[in-house]
Amino acid sequence: MLAVATIANNPEATVRGLTKRGLTDAQHLIDQVVKLNQSRKETQTKLDETLAESNSLSRQIGQLMKEGRREDAEVVKIKTADLKNSSKTLTETLRAYEEELQKTLYNIPNLPHKSVPEGMRAEDNEIVLENGELPTLPDEALPHWELIEKYDIVDFALGNKISGAGFPVYKGKGARLQRALVNFFLDKAREAGYLEVQPPLLINEDSGYGTGQLPDKEGQMYEIVDQKLFLIPTAEVPITNLYRDVILREADLPIKNTGYTPCFRREAGSWGAHVRGLNRLHQFDKVEVVQISHPNQSYKALEDMLLHARQLLEQLALPYRVLKLCAGDLGFTAAFTYDLEVYSAAQQKWLEVSSVSNFETYQANRLKLRYKDGNNKTQMLHTLNGSALALPRIVAAILENNQSTDGVKIPEVLIPYTGFDVIS
């Protein structure tokens, strides 16, 4: 979340940043934060003064009792009792202001970086680069949902019987291709200096608030209601929360972690041709890369993470493009995001397979994730994450772009992982 000091010291700039995102009530939200913070500070001051006076009077009572002045001591005791009642009331008022302030801050998104383009729609995103030649397929080329049925490698009907729509069953070479991609992505992340971790697939509320899934994305997550646990929407959440309430040494930066997990998203309301087959699922596999960076180095880290994801696509020989998201298309917690899209030849459209984002101090402030600088002062860190990569649309593009009369050719770099070179 945004730091109160950032808002209080720069209210006009904060309103401009939120308005750039498309928040129509930005001024009201910031005015509310400033007012609540001022009330909180005034109440804290009154409480401190009341407690100080109460402590002083308590010492007077002891002195008066030593001097045998019991009547005077009783008068002071009455004042002390009044002050205790006042301090109790002030404590309750302070807690109420703090809770309301925290609730308000949780509902304010991150400020976009100054270089983020203006715009409110996906069409306003800026194409940074395109790489690779778009394949030309014969007229009889099939979309991936027909290819997986033709070669019997993914079964949506079985998944629907077991769980429901959006939970496919991968079979035979389809399952082996999934495993091959996961291992390939993890190996490349490890070679790039990321420490592999295997986090839990369930998170508690503190973790959800820590990375910003709560309260913003509560409706998109599957919840175990009686335990207040949530199935993870991405490995970013548990991996970043490894460092909640942690103070790191500056010498340990950057922290680089990677992990493979299934991801679970309700995707409520999703329907239509754009979500056919593997285009959008309720459960899917993904390898995530996460960095915790010194604030002065985080945008260099972002470019390094982008390059890592690009190299994966190039090694898979998939044509792709990179988009710089406009302010209105940014995720709630992001200050800056690159999207990577692969071209799906049979569908003749671009499919998002990765987002690489810098959250600056937004998540770190929620997580209380800090480091000690050279002057031994505690400072906030920057957090970043990226998909490297999400599997379903990668599989869709591999199947569609590499289809031939002999079957689907496996990218050369994957053959040592799959143990086969064609799906037929």
Side-chain angles (χ1 to χ4, degrees):
M1 60 190 174
L2 298 179
V4 174
T6 299
I7 296 173
N9 296 334
N10 306 280
E12 296 86 1
T14 305
V15 170
R16 286 197 301 272
L18 295 176
T19 302
K20 184 178 180 180
R21 266 183 169 271
L23 263 70
T24 56
D25 60 344
Q27 186 66 60
H28 171 73
L29 281 171
I30 298 312
D31 288 345
Q32 188 176 3
V33 169
V34 172
K35 183 178 178 180
L36 284 169
N37 187 50
Q38 185 61 34
S39 297
R40 178 191 64 80
K41 289 167 66 176
E42 291 173 356
T43 304
Q44 181 70 67
T45 299
K46 290 178 183 177
L47 177 59
D48 292 342
E49 291 172 349
T50 301
L51 291 173
E53 186 178 357
S54 179
N55 291 335
S56 176
L57 290 178
S58 294
R59 289 192 294 271
Q60 286 184 34
I61 292 170
Q63 185 62 36
L64 291 170
M65 292 296 285
K66 284 182 182 181
E67 295 173 359
R69 299 164 59 186
R70 291 183 176 277
E71 290 185 4
D72 292 340
E74 290 301 322
V75 173
V76 177
K77 281 182 180 180
I78 293 172
K79 292 182 180 179
T80 303
D82 291 340
L83 288 171
K84 285 183 178 179
N85 288 332
S86 295
S87 65
K88 181 180 178 182
T89 300
L90 286 167
T91 299
E92 291 172 353
T93 302
L94 178 63
R95 185 180 299 114
Y97 280 134
E98 288 174 340
E99 289 176 355
E100 186 64 23
L101 179 60
Q102 186 83 338
K103 181 180 177 181
T104 304
L105 289 170
Y106 275 147
N107 285 283
I108 298 175
N110 202 356
L111 297 177
H113 188 267
K114 61 183 180 181
S115 65
V116 169
E118 300 275 356
M120 293 292 114
R121 307 167 303 159
E123 292 76 13
D124 298 320
N125 295 333
E126 178 184 322
I127 299 175
V128 177
L129 64 87
E130 293 189 18
N131 182 276
E133 187 175 340
L134 304 187
T136 301
L137 299 181
D139 293 338
E140 64 271 17
L142 302 175
H144 72 271
W145 52 84
E146 294 185 23
L147 290 168
I148 59 181
E149 185 175 349
K150 177 180 178 179
Y151 297 118
D152 194 25
I153 55 175
V154 184
D155 197 317
F156 287 97
L158 278 178
N160 190 48
K161 180 175 76 171
I162 296 167
S163 303
F167 295 90
V169 173
Y170 297 86
K171 303 191 299 184
K173 288 185 175 180
R176 291 167 67 185
L177 177 57
Q178 286 281 114
R179 179 158 48 90
L181 283 165
V182 168
N183 287 336
F184 170 64
F185 293 154
L186 285 174
D187 284 351
K188 292 302 175 182
R190 191 171 61 252
E191 290 172 14
Y194 290 88
L195 175 70
E196 183 178 347
V197 296
Q198 191 174 60
L201 303 183
L202 290 164
I203 57 164
N204 56 28
E205 283 188 304
D206 287 344
S207 295
Y209 278 102
T211 45
Q213 276 62 42
L214 297 176
D216 178 54
K217 297 180 176 64
E218 190 165 6
Q220 297 180 27
M221 293 192 291
Y222 289 98
E223 180 181 359
I224 301 175
V225 179
D226 61 337
Q227 297 184 52
K228 269 296 178 184
L229 294 172
F230 300 86
L231 286 168
I232 62 168
T234 168
E236 165 209 343
V237 182
I239 293 177
T240 310
N241 270 280
L242 294 173
Y243 303 95
R244 176 158 40 93
D245 297 318
V246 170
I247 298 177
L248 295 168
R249 297 184 309 164
E250 189 170 3
D252 293 332
L253 301 174
I255 301 291
K256 300 173 68 174
N257 288 150
T258 187
Y260 151 70
T261 66
C263 303
F264 304 88
R265 299 183 188 178
R266 291 175 62 186
E267 300 285 8
S270 296
W271 61 278
H274 68 290
V275 298
R276 289 193 67 179
L278 299 172
N279 285 347
R280 185 166 296 174
L281 303 172
H282 293 308
Q283 177 182 331
F284 61 94
D285 292 332
K286 181 157 66 82
V287 172
E288 195 81 358
V289 289
V290 172
Q291 286 204 39
I292 297 169
S293 170
H294 189 286
N296 293 342
Q297 298 296 318
S298 68
Y299 277 91
K300 179 182 182 302
L302 180 72
E303 296 299 322
D304 290 343
M305 294 172 77
L306 173 63
L307 180 60
H308 175 71
R310 287 177 52 200
Q311 289 173 338
L312 295 176
L313 295 173
E314 289 168 13
Q315 290 175 83
L316 292 172
L318 291 173
Y320 69 89
R321 68 182 186 180
V322 177
L323 306 178
K324 183 190 293 186
L325 296 195
C326 67
D329 209 25
L330 282 177
F332 189 85
T333 55
F336 188 106
T337 296
Y338 287 118
D339 270 3
L340 290 92
E341 299 178 337
V342 296
Y343 188 73
S344 173
Q347 298 178 74
Q348 296 185 343
K349 66 178 182 180
W350 295 94
L351 303 175
E352 180 198 329
V353 293
S354 175
S355 286
V356 183
S357 299
N358 189 347
F359 306 99
E360 297 186 358
T361 61
Y362 192 88
Q363 289 182 333
N365 194 28
R366 288 178 175 229
L367 294 160
K368 295 182 174 60
L369 169 56
R370 298 155 290 170
Y371 77 101
K372 287 197 173 181
D373 64 18
N375 297 317
N376 208 33
K377 289 185 177 180
T378 302
Q379 307 284 359
M380 285 292 173
L381 287 157
H382 283 193
T383 61
L384 307 93
N385 81 273
S387 309
L389 297 160
L391 268 67
R393 294 172 183 174
I394 291 291
V395 171
I398 288 174
L399 294 175
E400 294 183 6
N401 294 4
N402 298 325
Q403 61 183 299
S404 70
T405 54
D406 299 323
V408 176
K409 296 179 180 179
I410 298 299
E412 186 176 347
V413 73
L414 288 181
I415 295 173
Y417 291 90
T418 59
F420 56 87
D421 61 3
V422 66
I423 296 175
S424 59

